[in-house]
Amino acid sequence: MFKIIAIVIAVVIAGVLIYAATLPDSFRVERSASIKAPPEKIYPLINDLHSMQTWSAWEKVDPGMKRAHSGGASGTGAVYEWEGNKDIGQGRMEITESSPSRVSIRMDFIKPFAAQNTVEFTLKPGGDTTRVTQAISGPSPYIAKLFGLFCSMDKMIGEKFEESLAGLKSITEK
């Protein structure tokens, strides 16, 4: 009886490991919000990494984290580095593209795990509102695929994006 249980458990574990290997090799999480403000009012808050402290939900995870800025004050080449508690980790962001309709950021995570992703903000005007989309994408190595079976990256990251976009909306609609 013990042998049968062990075999069943081994088959289930093997099945989970094999299934994880079949998942996509990359990921993308995105959220959007309509903000009743022109792109000219929203863009400076995204393009200047110093401004993130006023609207980004990630900034609230560890208010005591160490922050450093380098490169230009804003736009392409602006750099933001952070080091915080176990919930926020350590990393670096650098704006790689910047225009009033799109800001692209290279995001390098150092701790708790190494990863390189791209964060994009797109701004699409329409009438008296601007549709702001925040997205993150990058490679999905095997360990991330396995982790994703038990914890939804879309839900975890997506909720923070929703909070951040709500913060951006609150500031720009004043």
Side-chain angles (χ1 to χ4, degrees), residues 33-45 100 123-132 168-174:
S34 289
I35 299 177
K36 198 168 187 157
E40 307 80 59
K41 190 171 182 182
I42 302 165
Y43 169 69
L45 292 171
L123 292 85
K124 293 184 181 175
D128 64 345
T129 64
T130 301
R131 185 84 173 157
V132 180
L168 195 57
K169 180 179 176 106
S170 174
I171 291 170
T172 56
E173 288 186 350
K174 287 182 183 179

Side-chain angles (χ1 to χ4, degrees), residues 108-166:
D108 297 316
F109 292 98
I110 300 165
K111 291 179 184 176
F113 53 86
Q116 182 184 55
N117 299 307
T118 300
V119 174
E120 295 175 325
F121 290 90
T122 55
L123 292 85
K124 293 184 181 175
D128 64 345
T129 64
T130 301
R131 185 84 173 157
V132 180
T133 300
Q134 181 179 10
I136 187 169
S137 60
S140 188
Y142 181 74
I143 192 74
K145 295 177 190 184
L146 197 56
F147 178 76
L149 293 175
F150 305 100
C151 183
S152 169
M153 288 256 304
D154 186 81
K155 184 176 183 208
M156 183 175 62
I157 294 172
E159 287 177 356
K160 289 292 184 202
F161 280 8
E162 290 167 9
E163 289 176 43
S164 295
L165 290 169

Side-chain angles (χ1 to χ4, degrees), residues 35-57:
I35 299 177
K36 198 168 187 157
E40 307 80 59
K41 190 171 182 182
I42 302 165
Y43 169 69
L45 292 171
I46 297 168
N47 192 48
D48 181 350
L49 298 178
H50 296 86
S51 298
M52 288 181 62
Q53 290 183 41
T54 63
W55 58 268
S56 174

Side-chain angles (χ1 to χ4, degrees), residues 9 11 47-48 61 70 92 94 101 104 110 114 121 141 148 170 174:
I9 290 172
V11 168
N47 192 48
D48 181 350
V61 173
S70 59
R92 179 183 192 275
E94 180 175 352
S101 62
S104 184
I110 300 165
F121 290 90
S170 174
K174 287 182 183 179

